[in-house]
Amino acid sequence: YADDGKRVSEYANSIWLNENLDVNDDKLKQIADDYFVPGFRGDMGSKDYTRAFQSWMNDNTGKMMGKQISGLEFDPGTLMAVASTIYYSNRWQYEYDPLKTKDATFHGVNGDTKAPFMNKTCSGFYVEGNGFSGIMDMFGNGEGYMLFLMPDEGGSIRSVFESEDFMKLIDGSRDELLIPCYLDVSLPKFDVDSKFKIEEIL
C-alpha cells in the first residue's frame, strides 16, 4: 500500500439488478466466479439498495470520494446498472516536506485566491511544448508521473489539449519536450472532481 512506499492500483466491477428482472442466478454466479464481478439484486431506488451501492463504491475507491458518491442513486425504473471503479494511490518520488507548506496567492482564471502551497526542490523534467510549458512530477520509483501544464499567455487549456506536442506527451514520443533539470516546485494543494452523464456523450 502507499503508506509502505508502494503504489495501490485496484480495479473493481459490479452489476446491480432490479429485483423484478428475471435473471439466471447460475449465470450471475458464474460471472462473479470467473470474472470477479459480483451481482446484486434489490429494490431500485430504495434507501437500503442505494446505501449498499454507495457502500460498495466507497469500499472500492479507498473512501476518498464520499462527497461525490453520496449523491449517487438509482432511478426506480432502472433494470440493470454496471458500476466500475479505479483506485490509484502512490507517493511522490521526491516528497513535499509538510514543514515547507506555506500560504500563498494562486492566480486563477476567476481571480486570485489564497491557498496552502507545497514546496520542494528536486531533480525532474521541465516540459516545453508549442503553446505551453510545465513540469513532470514523478511517482514512487519513477513508474508513473503527473503533468502540470500551463498554456502560454493568451492561450487556453483547450488549445494545449489540441496541440501536437500534447499528444506526444501522452503517446510516449515526448523526449524532445523534456528538459532534465533541478526544479523549484511550488504547488497549491488541490482536489479535482467532475461529473457527467454518459448517455449524453453516447
Side-chain angles (χ1 to χ4, degrees), residues 20-31:
N20 298 320
L21 198 61
D22 187 20
V23 208
N24 184 318
D25 289 331
D26 290 338
K27 289 293 181 186
L28 205 58
K29 184 177 183 306
Q30 186 178 354
I31 290 172

Side-chain angles (χ1 to χ4, degrees), residues 28-198:
L28 205 58
K29 184 177 183 306
Q30 186 178 354
I31 290 172
D33 291 343
D34 293 350
Y35 299 102
F36 308 103
V37 178
F40 304 92
R41 296 177 74 177
D43 180 9
M44 285 289 183
S46 71
K47 286 184 179 178
D48 286 345
Y49 204 42
T50 298
R51 211 167 12 245
F53 172 60
Q54 291 175 351
S55 177
W56 183 90
M57 292 288 288
N58 272 314
D59 289 344
N60 287 284
T61 52
K63 294 184 169 55
M64 296 291 291
M65 298 179 64
K67 180 182 172 185
Q68 293 84 355
I69 289 171
S70 65
L72 295 178
E73 55 186 30
F74 295 123
D75 184 283
T78 300
L79 293 178
M80 181 179 76
V82 175
S84 298
T85 61
I86 300 173
Y87 174 54
Y88 179 82
S89 179
N90 208 341
R91 290 180 178 271
W92 298 109
Q93 185 175 35
Y94 300 104
E95 295 189 8
Y96 293 84
D97 183 349
L99 297 176
K100 293 182 178 178
T101 299
K102 308 289 180 190
D103 283 345
T105 302
F106 177 75
H107 305 288
V109 292
N110 297 319
D112 292 351
T113 184
K114 286 283 185 184
F117 275 66
M118 306 180 294
N119 297 279
K120 68 178 176 182
T121 299
C122 63
S123 60
F125 294 98
Y126 175 70
V127 180
E128 192 167 56
N130 184 17
F132 65 90
S133 59
I135 64 166
M136 176 185 281
D137 206 348
M138 308 301 290
F139 293 138
N141 295 317
E143 74 274 5
Y145 61 87
M146 183 175 283
L147 291 167
F148 295 98
L149 305 175
M150 185 171 66
D152 291 348
E153 194 164 347
S156 69
I157 198 66
R158 180 175 291 278
S159 67
V160 173
F161 292 155
E162 292 173 350
S163 74
E164 242 180 79
D165 282 349
F166 177 74
M167 292 312 299
K168 288 179 182 177
L169 285 173
I170 300 305
D171 70 18
S173 57
R174 56 179 174 254
D175 288 353
E176 65 190 68
L177 305 174
L178 302 181
I179 302 168
C181 60
Y182 275 96
L183 302 169
D184 283 317
V185 184
S186 187
L187 178 69
K189 288 188 174 184
F190 65 95
D191 189 11
V192 178
D193 68 80
S194 63
K195 185 177 181 180
F196 54 87
K197 293 188 175 181
I198 196 167

